[in-house]
């Protein structure tokens, strides 16, 4: 178990107040990490931090902020470092989707998605870098998507941001390898969360179409991300950097 033990570690999870982010935060907390949960909604964020400390007996902090704003990013990282004195693990998970074909998408919508899903990961990684360097190492995990691999005519900004996440992951991994900071990505398949509930309302046949396409035969729940999250946050992955791991029930393995 010591390979996966995070009890001396401090982790930040953006978008950790629900969906996949809360699944990640629960996994890290169950391995013993102190967790800072970042989100825009104060009630949801406070409730998630309370839940983590009650359920897993770890120190948990709610940090309210918008990761798409550069000024908020610096404040968020400042709050976490003041509370815990260190930041060992960063999950860039916060994300949104705007489902519009390219010819109907406005510049503002494009920028909103790119800034939330991609630019925030760059800014947050840059902001935590001094703490990881000072500590002699760290772990950054970026959340991509199946659209890191496939295109999406119905969501061009989203797919572009998620493709960019993989290249950002590789670039940070190379830049910071000498600092013993491992940077990897997880590419989730179809998870049942608020994000996809919205898609399922817009496309009623989506649920069954996806089940038919997944070799493991079911949608994922947020708990399905926890094992891979703990692996990539722990000493168990110390020789792994610059990769993108699908957690998709076999979706990308199938034709
Ligand atoms: P949810 O909509 O359930 O959760 C999104 C989270 O991100 C919320 O906690 C939200 O909190 C937070 N968030 C969004 N924008 C911001 C912002 N500007 N600043 C701070 N926090 C923000 O989505 P999922 O859990 O489904 O998605 C999580 C990640 O996984 C995303 O990156 C998504 O693209 C990716 N993903 C999801 C898949 C799925 O099937 N669900 C598949 C592949 C990838 P708040 O509203 O409080 O800000």
């Amino acid at each position: 178990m010591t390979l996966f033990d995070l009890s001396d570690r401090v982790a930040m999870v953006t978008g950790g107040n629900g969906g996949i982010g809360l699944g990640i935060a629960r996994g890290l907390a169950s391995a013993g990490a102190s967790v800072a949960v970042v989100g825009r909604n104060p009630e949801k964020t406070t409730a998630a931090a309370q839940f983590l400390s009650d359920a897993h007996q770890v120190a948990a902090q709610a940090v309210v902020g918008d990761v798409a704003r550069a000024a908020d990013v610096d404040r968020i990282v400042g709050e976490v470092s003041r509370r815990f004195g260190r930041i060992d693990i960063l999950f860039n998970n916060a994300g949104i989707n705007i489902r519009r074909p390219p010819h109907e998408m406005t510049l503002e919508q494009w920028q909103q998605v790119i800034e939330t899903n991609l630019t925030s990961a760059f800014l947050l990684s840059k902001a935590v870098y001094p703490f990881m360097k000072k500590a002699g190492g760290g772990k950054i995990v970026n959340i991509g998507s199946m659209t890191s691999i496939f295109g999406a005519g119905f969501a061009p900004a989203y797919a572009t941001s998620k493709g960019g996440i993989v290249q950002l992951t590789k670039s940070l991994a190379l830049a910071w390898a000498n600092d013993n900071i491992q940077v990897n990505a997880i590419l989730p398949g179809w998870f049942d969360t608020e994000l996809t509930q919205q898609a399922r309302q817009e496309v009623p046949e989506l649920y069954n179409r996806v089940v038919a396409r997944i070799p493991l035969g079911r949608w994922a729940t947020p708990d399905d991300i926890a094992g891979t999250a703990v692996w990539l946050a722990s000493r168990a992955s110390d020789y792994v950097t610059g990769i993108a791991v699908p957690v998709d029930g076999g979706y990308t393995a199938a034709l």
Side-chain angles (χ1 to χ4, degrees):
M1 271 311 288
T2 52
L3 265 183
F4 299 97
D5 183 18
L6 299 177
S7 50
D8 54 348
R9 297 288 194 258
V10 173
M12 256 179 78
V13 184
T14 70
N17 65 18
I20 290 176
L22 187 55
I24 292 168
R26 290 184 60 182
L28 301 177
S30 69
S34 303
V35 184
V37 171
V38 182
R40 291 165 303 181
N41 181 310
E43 290 78 28
K44 262 173 71 184
T45 309
T46 307
Q50 189 64 49
F51 167 78
L52 291 170
S53 68
D54 290 347
H56 300 284
Q57 281 79 52
V58 295
Q61 181 187 21
V63 186
V64 177
D66 183 341
V67 297
R69 295 174 173 204
D72 272 22
V73 166
D74 289 337
R75 179 182 53 77
I76 288 163
V77 171
E79 280 187 32
V80 179
S81 65
R82 269 196 300 284
R83 163 82 189 267
F84 294 110
R86 56 190 296 152
I87 302 170
D88 305 292
I89 299 161
L90 167 66
F91 275 79
N92 285 309
N93 163 79
I96 57 166
N97 191 5
I98 297 178
R99 298 166 66 85
R100 295 263 185 294
H103 47 280
E104 289 175 11
M105 178 161 268
T106 66
L107 176 61
E108 288 69 30
Q109 289 169 333
W110 172 272
Q111 284 169 334
Q112 195 186 345
V113 174
I114 298 291
E115 282 165 17
T116 305
N117 296 5
L118 181 58
T119 309
S120 70
F122 159 66
L123 290 174
L124 276 151
S125 301
K126 197 175 158 201
V128 300
Y129 171 69
F131 296 96
M132 294 186 177
K133 186 176 166 67
K134 189 169 159 220
K139 304 277 186 181
I140 298 175
V141 183
N142 298 319
I143 302 303
S145 152
M146 294 293 90
T147 65
S148 298
I149 300 169
F150 304 116
F154 57 88
Y158 184 79
T160 303
S161 72
K162 295 301 187 178
I165 275 287
V166 173
Q167 294 305 93
L168 176 67
T169 298
K170 291 179 188 173
S171 303
L172 298 181
L174 296 176
W176 297 338
N178 282 342
D179 298 307
N180 190 33
I181 299 168
Q182 288 82 51
V183 189
N184 293 294
I186 299 176
L187 313 183
W190 290 92
F191 278 66
D192 187 0
T193 67
E194 274 179 30
L195 190 82
T196 47
Q197 275 157 22
Q198 184 196 330
R200 291 214 298 269
Q201 277 162 10
E202 287 170 28
V203 187
E205 69 279 13
L206 182 64
Y207 184 86
N208 289 333
R209 228 168 55 198
V210 165
V211 170
R213 169 81 167 72
I214 297 177
L216 291 185
R218 65 173 175 87
W219 282 61
T221 70
D223 285 344
D224 287 310
I225 204 90
T228 309
V230 171
W231 170 54
L232 289 176
S234 69
R235 297 171 193 88
S237 60
D238 276 357
Y239 199 60
V240 177
T241 199
I243 66 161
V245 193
V247 175
D248 65 353
Y251 191 90
T252 44
L255 251 183

